Each structure stands twice: as structure tokens, then as C-alpha cells.
């Protein structure tokens, strides 16, 4: 991985940032950016979002981080004083501790896509990402996305088609053929439903994972595919991490247990979500908030799929597609300033960032208008479109085409 202070283009980047982006407000308040990550992509995104908030809030930019990150931050106009007052106007970070209540607005900048960030604005009491953000995102979804599903649907279909990369099964016949091959390869009964349990982060969601493993060990009427090592109570429990292709895994899976965000409901596979995610309040998955919830949902999944029924209904599938669209399109802000995440963190990224900073217009770049919308409206996420104006939303999602 390319460290922040590495690379032949770093001096050029510092010069360009200092020349074109070195001015910052010097107000009484401050915006604190945490830049402890060694990936220059994370640091650059955190700094740019924090700088945009400091402009909107007329506050100083203060950066906490390693010496290399602070050197870059000072080129962007960050104050050299690293002892900000308490509380700051906002905290911008690439690594949020979800369970810690905060008395100030917290913006979590994601490492994916063009630019994505989630925000939590406390009202009368300290709030934590884990307790409150999914409900905030869910409320935004219900108010601004779900009512416009007819308008968004064509765009959501395109996003789903792109997200399906690596899964090349086109017909039910192909899926049946792959299932037959997969069951034979794993020595499983093709007449039984299959539940796939995706991996969890060690130390997180331990109770829910243990509940799932215990249920699988005692339930022999289902095939179980685990992505974490697990004690097999019977021959129908298989450890398959790195063993199956995406084509095989999706074709075999009737129900998934996911510890975090999952796109599978958008493609017809129901998901029991046993882990936290920002979008769990959008109605696309069956969310287990306790071991008892998990046990009940697993029992229902086994009962329904044993009768040939699905745990996923048509509305839930559409919600999943719209949630996928929101995450990969509606809440992914295109910007000329920051290279796309998939450009990688190599020396080329530093060069591209320097070129972008030299030529981008801060007054017209979508990054700044998106941050302003989020900040002034206290919205839980950055958005590519202004969802408060349906007419403008219609034009943005379905641009006019020539009739010639």
C-alpha cells in the first residue's frame, strides 16, 4: 500500500494544494479531521470533506494524524494548532467508532466509489452511529427514495446490472445445472434448501454468529455453507471460504446470513442481516437485533424454504434494488477533485490528485454543493442529487434525449 508520505509526486501535490487550496476560514470554531490512515485515498477524502464543512461553517480546519498526513493537511490550509477546543463544530473521520456517543456532528467518509459519506447530527443528547444512523438513513429512504421508485427504477436496473459483475448465470436452467454440479461437488442433498452464512468480523456480532452456528449444528434439514470456520455438527455443514465461484455460490444459496450490508436481496436472494449496516433501516433485509431474533428468523427461513416458499417478497426485492441504487449512485457524489477509489493508492493516484487540484473549480464542483446540502439540512448522507426537488431529480436521473 502506498503511504501518504511516499512517492515521487508528493512534492508536486503539496505545492499544488498550497497554491490553489491553501486558504481556509479562521473562525472561532473548528472542524476536526482525523487522518491516521496510511492510505492516501482515505486521507485525501477526509481532508476534502472536512475542508468543505469548514467553508460552510466558517470554521478553522484542524487535523489530527500522523506527521505525513498533517504535512498534507497544512498544505490544504489546516491550522498548525493540534489542540482544538471542545467541542469542535464537527468531527470528520475515515474510521468511526460506531458505538461511541458523540455530542458533535460526526461525518464518516467511506473508502469506496467516487465520494461517499454518512453523517450523524445529535439533537438534544449524544448519539452513536450504531444506535441512530440506520434509522436516519431509513427515514431518508422512506421520504425521498421510495416515493419516487417509478422514476428511479430504470436507473436502479442499470446499477444492479453493473453490480452483478462476476455472476453470469442468465436463466433458471443454467442455475439448476450449476446447483446440481455444486451439490454433487460438496456432497450435499440437492433436495434441501441451502443457507449461506457469510463471514463476520472477529470480535463483532459474536453472539449472533454463535447463535447461527449452534442452530446450524442442530438443524439437519438444511444445507449450510459457512465462510468462517465452524464446528460441524453434521455432514450438511460445509466451510466454503475461497472454494466456490460467485456463480456457484449464488446459485446454491436460497437464504443468506450477512453480517453487514448485502446486495443479495436485489438479485432475489433473501438475507437475514445479523450485523450492523447504515442501510439496515431501508426494509431490504430481515434484521436480527438479538440472538433470539436470529433464532426466530432462522426457524422461519427453514420452514418457508422447506415448503418451496421464499423469505423475500416483491416489495423487499424492489427496496433492495433502490437501496443498492442509493448506495452506488444516489449517495455516490462524482467529483473532479478526487480520483475514483478504484484507481488504487499507488503513485499514479498522487499524480492524478495533483492534476485534479490544479484544474478543479471549488465553486462549481459537486463535492462542495453536496456537503453544503448535507450540512445545512442535517441529512444523514451525502447525495448526488437534490432529493428535495422532484422535478430536478427527474431531469438528473432521466436526462432529456434528442428525438431525432
Amino acid at each position: 500500500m502506498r503511504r501518504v508520505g511516499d512517492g515521487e509526486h508528493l512534492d508536486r501535490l503539496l505545492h499544488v494544494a498550497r497554491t490553489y487550496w491553501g486558504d481556509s476560514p479562521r473562525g472561532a470554531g473548528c472542524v476536526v479531521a482525523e487522518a491516521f490512515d496510511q492510505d492516501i485515498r482515505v486521507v485525501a477524502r477526509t481532508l476534502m470533506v472536512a475542508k468543505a464543512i469548514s467553508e460552510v461553517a466558517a470554521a478553522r480546519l484542524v487535523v489530527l494524524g500522523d506527521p505525513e498526513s498533517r504535512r498534507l493537511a497544512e498544505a490544504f490550509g489546516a491550522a498548525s494548532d493540534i489542540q482544538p477546543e471542545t467541542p469542535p463544530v464537527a468531527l470528520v473521520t475515515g474510521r468511526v467508532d460506531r458505538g461511541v456517543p458523540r455530542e458533535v456532528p460526526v461525518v464518516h467518509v467511506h473508502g469506496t466509489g467516487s465520494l461517499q459519506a454518512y453523517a450523524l447530527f445529535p439533537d438534544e443528547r449524544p448519539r452513536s452511529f450504531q444506535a441512530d444512523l440506520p434509522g436516519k438513513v431509513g427515514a431518508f429512504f422512506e421520504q425521498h427514495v421510495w416515493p419516487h421508485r417509478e422514476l428511479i427504477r430504470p436507473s436502479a436496473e442499470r446499477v444492479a446490472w453493473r453490480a452483478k459483475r462476476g455472476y453470469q448465470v442468465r436463466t433458471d436452467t443454467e442455475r439448476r445445472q450449476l446447483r446440481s454440479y455444486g451439490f454433487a461437488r460438496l456432497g450435499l442433498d440437492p433436495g434441501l434448501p441451502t443457507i449461506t452464512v457469510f463471514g463476520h468480523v472477529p470480535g463483532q456480532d459474536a453472539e449472533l454468529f454463535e447463535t447461527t452456528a449452534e442452530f446450524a449444528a442442530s438443524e439437519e434439514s438444511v444445507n449450510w455453507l459457512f465462510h468462517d470456520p465452524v464446528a460441524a455438527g453434521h455432514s450438511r455443514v460445509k466451510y466454503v471460504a475461497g472454494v466456490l465461484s460467485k456463480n456457484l455460490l449464488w446459485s446454491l444459496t436460497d437464504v443468506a446470513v450477512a453480517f453487514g450490508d448485502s446486495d443479495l436481496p436485489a438479485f432475489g436472494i433473501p438475507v437475514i442481516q445479523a450485523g450492523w449496516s447504515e442501510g439496515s433501516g431501508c426494509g431490504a433485509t430481515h434484521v436480527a437485533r438479538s440472538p433470539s431474533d436470529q433464532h426466530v428468523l432462522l426457524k422461519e427461513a427453514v420452514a418457508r424454504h422447506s415448503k418451496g416458499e421464499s423469505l423475500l417478497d416483491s416489495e423487499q426485492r424492489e427496496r433492495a434494488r433502490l437501496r443498492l441504487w442509493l448506495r452506488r449512485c444516489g449517495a455516490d457524489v462524482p467529483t473532479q477533485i478526487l480520483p475514483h477509489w478504484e484507481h488504487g493508492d499507488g503513485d499514479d493516484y498522487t499524480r492524478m490528485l495533483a492534476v485534479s487540484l490544479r484544474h478543479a473549480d471549488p465553486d462549481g464542483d459537486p463535492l462542495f454543493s453536496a456537503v453544503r446540502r448535507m450540512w445545512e439540512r442535517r441529512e444523514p448522507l451525502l447525495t448526488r442529487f437534490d432529493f428535495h426537488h422532484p422535478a430536478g431529480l427527474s431531469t438528473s436521473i432521466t436526462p432529456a434525449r434528442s428525438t431525432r
Side-chain angles (χ1 to χ4, degrees), residues 197 206-220 224 226 230-234 237 291 294-295 298:
V197 182
E207 281 189 307
L208 293 172
F209 178 76
E210 289 169 5
T211 298
T212 305
E214 290 170 3
F215 188 94
S218 63
E219 180 56 71
E220 300 188 35
W224 297 88
F226 274 82
V230 63
H234 51 81
V237 176
Q294 183 74 349
H295 194 270
L298 287 169

Side-chain angles (χ1 to χ4, degrees), residues 98 130 134-135 195-200 205 208-209 212 255-265 269-291 293-295 297-298 301 311 316 320 323 327:
R98 301 198 306 255
Q130 186 160 335
I195 298 179
T196 298
V197 182
F198 288 87
H200 76 299
D205 310 308
L208 293 172
F209 178 76
T212 305
V255 181
V257 176
F259 295 85
D261 246 333
S262 175
D263 297 333
L264 289 175
I269 300 174
V271 166
I272 297 172
Q273 186 176 318
W276 184 90
S277 80
E278 295 89 353
S280 62
C282 296
T285 59
H286 300 272
V287 181
R289 294 180 173 84
S290 67
D293 286 350
Q294 183 74 349
H295 194 270
L297 286 170
L298 287 169
L311 203 61
Q316 203 171 30
R323 163 62 184 153
R327 184 162 56 83

Side-chain angles (χ1 to χ4, degrees), residues 136-369:
K136 300 285 187 182
V137 174
F140 183 93
F141 182 92
E142 294 297 334
Q143 183 176 358
H144 298 295
V145 179
W146 183 245
H148 302 298
R149 55 190 177 276
E150 296 290 340
L151 171 65
I152 297 171
R153 187 176 292 126
S155 181
E157 292 300 312
R158 288 192 295 271
V159 170
W161 176 77
R162 291 190 181 98
K164 207 175 180 181
R165 283 185 309 179
Y167 185 65
Q168 301 168 343
V169 178
R170 295 166 295 181
T171 66
D172 288 341
T173 299
E174 288 182 355
R175 183 172 185 269
R176 285 194 298 271
Q177 290 171 340
L178 277 173
R179 282 175 69 89
S180 178
Y181 165 74
F183 287 132
R185 174 177 163 182
L186 295 172
L188 296 173
D189 186 343
L192 298 179
T194 300
I195 298 179
T196 298
V197 182
F198 288 87
H200 76 299
V201 177
Q204 295 182 15
D205 310 308
E207 281 189 307
L208 293 172
F209 178 76
E210 289 169 5
T211 298
T212 305
E214 290 170 3
F215 188 94
S218 63
E219 180 56 71
E220 300 188 35
S221 65
V222 176
N223 298 317
W224 297 88
L225 307 181
F226 274 82
H227 281 241
D228 285 310
V230 63
H234 51 81
S235 62
R236 304 202 190 287
V237 176
K238 303 291 183 181
Y239 172 55
V240 296
V243 173
L244 302 177
S245 68
K246 188 174 184 178
N247 282 331
L248 265 178
L249 185 64
W250 283 27
S251 296
L252 290 173
T253 301
D254 294 303
V255 181
V257 176
F259 295 85
D261 246 333
S262 175
D263 297 333
L264 289 175
F267 304 104
I269 300 174
V271 166
I272 297 172
Q273 186 176 318
W276 184 90
S277 80
E278 295 89 353
S280 62
C282 296
T285 59
H286 300 272
V287 181
R289 294 180 173 84
S290 67
S292 60
D293 286 350
Q294 183 74 349
H295 194 270
V296 168
L297 286 170
L298 287 169
K299 284 188 67 176
E300 183 181 358
V302 171
R304 294 184 65 171
H305 282 266
S306 296
K307 294 188 292 184
E309 300 174 359
S310 177
L311 203 61
L312 184 76
D313 60 35
S314 58
E315 178 179 315
Q316 203 171 30
R317 183 179 182 276
E318 181 155 26
R319 285 177 174 273
R321 292 226 159 184
L322 292 171
R323 163 62 184 153
L324 176 61
W325 172 86
L326 179 63
R327 184 162 56 83
R328 296 201 178 199
C329 180
D332 189 53
V333 179
T335 168
Q336 295 181 4
I337 299 172
L338 297 166
H340 195 280
W341 184 262
E342 290 193 7
H343 282 296
D345 60 350
D347 205 38
D348 267 354
Y349 185 91
T350 307
R351 178 183 61 81
M352 293 171 65
L353 179 58
V355 171
S356 299
L357 290 173
R358 183 174 182 180
H359 296 285
D361 178 8
D363 293 330
D365 192 88
L367 183 155
F368 286 87
S369 57

Side-chain angles (χ1 to χ4, degrees), residues 375-396:
W375 183 260
E376 292 181 346
R377 295 173 178 173
R378 295 302 198 249
E379 291 181 337
L381 70 172
L382 283 181
T383 56
R384 176 182 299 199
F385 314 111
D386 188 345
F387 284 87
H388 286 229
H389 294 89
L393 182 64
S394 175
T395 303
S396 301

